[in-house]
Amino acid sequence: MDTPRPHPDSAALAATVTALQSRARTELAELVAFRSVADEAQFPKSECEGAANWVADALRAEGFQDVALLDTPDGTQSVYGFLPGPAGAPTVVLYAHYDVQPPLDEDAWLSPPFELTERDGRWYGRGAADCKGGFIMHLTALRALKEHGGVPVGVKVIVEGSEEQGTGGLERYAEAHPELLAADAIVIGDAGNFRLGLPTVTATLRGMTLVRVQVDTLDGNLHSGMFGGAAPDALAALIRALDSLRAPDGSTVINGLEPEGTWEGLQYPEEDFRADAKVLDGVGLIGSGTVADRLWARPAVTVLGIDCPPVVGATPSVHAGARALISLRVPPGVDAAEATKLLRAHLEAAVPWNARVTTEQVGQGQPFLADTSSPAYASMAEAMGVAYPGEEMQTAGMGGSIPLCNTLAALYPGTEILLIGLSEPEAQIHAVNESVSPEELERLSLAEALFLVNYAQSRS
């Protein structure tokens, strides 16, 4: 029988994590500097390649074996590495992604989006919280453990290169290589605390689908004075179809899709949501039911973009064609493929005037529901109670999607999956001026280190 490693003193481990924060900031700045948007139409592919190589080098420097840049079917690269643990120890996968959302309006950032900048006690930069900071969190936890007897489990790190695009490269790669991420537990470092300073694991994720719709009515644009009033305007037809996706109160309505799910767990007070979402004074929220119902248990449609002339430079024309990109968030219990079919059928039926309409699915991921009764959750609850003195671990849903989770759950039905991370409301992920709280990074790094210790002991 193997002799168990001594349980590191939590205070000493915390002091080590604190001492590592300066290094964490330096490395996060280096990683944020890569403009790693996984869309060559916006940024050169070399930016993603640079970030992937940086991650691979960091893993090699920590003694990881079998470090590899995996060419995934969507044309991007995920980074993998394996750190062997003691004989008989369980294996834990630590996940993050290095690709990021586009910066949007760079002029709206108070500091350059790809230059990590400290301001008012937070670190600002695209990907600081979502999810380059998640990789730094994993590194910090492992480094701290190395200074206190070593990492007590085998660790597989996987860092995805196209999570934000929803193109499924790592999902398809994992399905083709099911041995790659086989483990006893998987920690997805791409979620976040419900509120800054409130330790939270995410139990559910909505799935997602992306659909592009194209409407055509004419061979070419026409003069609106000569033809307007009789010639069918493709942009107007598209607007009619898009409007049909919402009820008068703003609820999502798609023919055949259940709109009335409910959430029984942690609630989200409306006044807190209004503040977090920065809703303007006097503007109402959309939908019905509790805020938690709307965010975590019901479908939500969003028009992500419309191809049409901008106001500046617009001409008096009836438009021959128009298109839009639509996102549908799919609640747990609903099959994303079926939701996609319903969305496409709804749009095709809603376009007026017999206009020609085509729809195309461009991305899809299934929703996820975790088993919170598993031993790994008990280990994480104990760890978070130490890392966040006086607080108990909370379980919440998340309206966002991480399609990989459902793929992993299907591939490894006996594996425990936990979701934690740095994306609390003040982080403003996917928006301008994204930031991470260094205190949150420190506490979650400690929580993850303690979790690995607790989990190893629970499986010994």
Side-chain angles (χ1 to χ4, degrees):
M1 178 180 295
D2 296 308
T3 302
R5 296 188 180 201
H7 193 302
D9 177 78
S10 58
L13 197 58
T16 300
V17 169
T18 299
L20 288 168
Q21 288 307 290
S22 176
R23 183 177 183 182
R25 186 191 187 285
T26 297
E27 292 184 331
L28 183 57
E30 293 174 3
L31 195 50
V32 164
F34 293 102
R35 301 176 298 165
S36 50
V37 177
D39 181 358
E40 292 180 64
Q42 299 184 66
F43 291 94
K45 188 175 183 178
S46 59
E47 294 289 334
C48 283
E49 291 171 341
N53 279 293
W54 191 98
V55 170
D57 288 343
L59 292 179
R60 293 187 188 100
E62 294 303 320
F64 276 76
Q65 301 175 4
D66 305 322
V67 176
L69 275 64
L70 310 176
D71 293 319
T72 56
D74 61 356
T76 64
Q77 293 180 317
S78 293
V79 187
Y80 170 83
F82 174 60
L83 186 68
T91 299
V92 177
V93 170
L94 302 180
Y95 166 91
H97 62 85
Y98 68 79
D99 70 302
V100 297
Q101 284 285 332
L104 303 174
D105 180 6
E106 295 199 29
D107 291 337
W109 285 73
L110 297 180
S111 52
F114 297 104
E115 182 180 311
L116 194 70
T117 303
E118 185 166 358
R119 186 169 62 252
D120 300 325
R122 297 183 68 93
W123 299 342
Y124 287 79
R126 177 58 91 221
D130 183 26
C131 175
K132 292 175 176 179
F135 177 62
I136 300 300
M137 174 185 74
H138 295 327
L139 283 182
T140 302
L142 296 175
R143 286 167 175 162
L145 288 170
K146 284 182 175 182
E147 294 192 26
H148 293 273
V151 180
V153 299
V155 175
K156 295 179 178 180
V157 166
I158 186 73
V159 186
E160 189 174 2
S162 58
E163 192 277 337
E164 298 292 8
Q165 297 301 309
T167 46
L170 181 55
E171 295 148 64
R172 303 292 83 79
Y173 191 95
E175 289 168 346
H177 304 82
E179 75 290 345
L180 180 75
L181 300 179
D184 299 284
I186 299 173
V187 178
I188 305 289
D190 191 26
N193 287 342
F194 179 70
R195 176 96 30 231
L196 183 68
L198 183 65
T200 310
V201 291
T202 298
T204 68
L205 298 168
R206 288 191 293 198
M208 63 165 288
T209 186
L210 291 173
V211 169
R212 185 182 293 125
V213 56
Q214 173 79 41
V215 177
D216 296 292
T217 55
L218 305 164
D219 281 340
N221 287 2
L222 298 173
H223 191 290
S224 62
M226 297 177 63
F227 295 95
D233 187 313
L235 180 55
L238 176 62
I239 291 170
R240 283 278 185 93
L242 297 179
D243 182 61
S244 74
L245 296 170
R246 292 194 182 279
D249 69 357
S251 299
T252 294
V253 286
I254 295 170
N255 295 334
L257 189 62
E258 170 57 49
E260 298 296 331
T262 57
W263 177 264
E264 302 298 335
L266 182 69
Q267 293 299 308
Y268 201 155
E270 182 171 327
E271 60 273 19
D272 291 347
F273 176 80
R274 292 183 66 90
D276 292 341
K278 296 180 171 55
V279 180
L280 300 179
D281 289 345
V283 176
L285 303 186
I286 63 172
S288 61
T290 68
V291 171
D293 291 341
R294 287 174 260 182
L295 295 181
W296 303 332
R298 296 184 179 181
V301 70
T302 305
V303 179
L304 301 183
I306 300 178
D307 282 343
C308 60
V311 172
V312 176
T315 61
S317 300
V318 177
H319 298 289
R323 67 174 183 166
L325 181 63
I326 300 162
S327 163
L328 174 64
R329 299 290 178 166
V330 182
V334 176
D335 178 64
E338 179 62 23
T340 301
K341 292 179 183 177
L342 294 173
L343 174 59
R344 294 177 69 174
H346 180 109
L347 288 167
E348 290 163 5
V351 171
W353 314 321
N354 286 326
R356 295 181 183 178
V357 55
T358 58
T359 60
E360 176 190 5
Q361 177 192 317
V362 293
Q364 181 179 284
Q366 293 289 353
F368 173 75
L369 176 63
D371 176 11
T372 57
S373 65
S374 67
Y377 277 82
S379 295
M380 184 62 79
E382 180 184 348
M384 284 185 161
V386 174
Y388 291 80
E391 299 286 352
E392 292 185 3
M393 183 182 81
Q394 303 294 313
T395 303
M398 189 167 78
S401 305
I402 306 176
L404 179 66
C405 286
N406 234 56
T407 298
L408 296 176
L411 286 173
Y412 318 115
T415 296
E416 304 170 78
I417 301 177
L418 303 94
L419 294 99
I420 64 172
L422 301 166
S423 301
E424 39 77 29
E426 293 181 39
Q428 295 190 179
I429 65 169
H430 293 205
V432 299
N433 297 310
E434 176 184 345
S435 67
V436 69
S437 161
E439 289 80 11
E440 206 79 307
L441 174 59
E442 181 176 337
R443 286 183 290 219
L444 283 170
S445 298
L446 175 60
E448 183 167 275
L450 291 169
F451 161 76
L452 294 175
V453 172
N454 295 342
Y455 189 63
Q457 291 195 336
S458 75
R459 296 295 299 265
S460 61

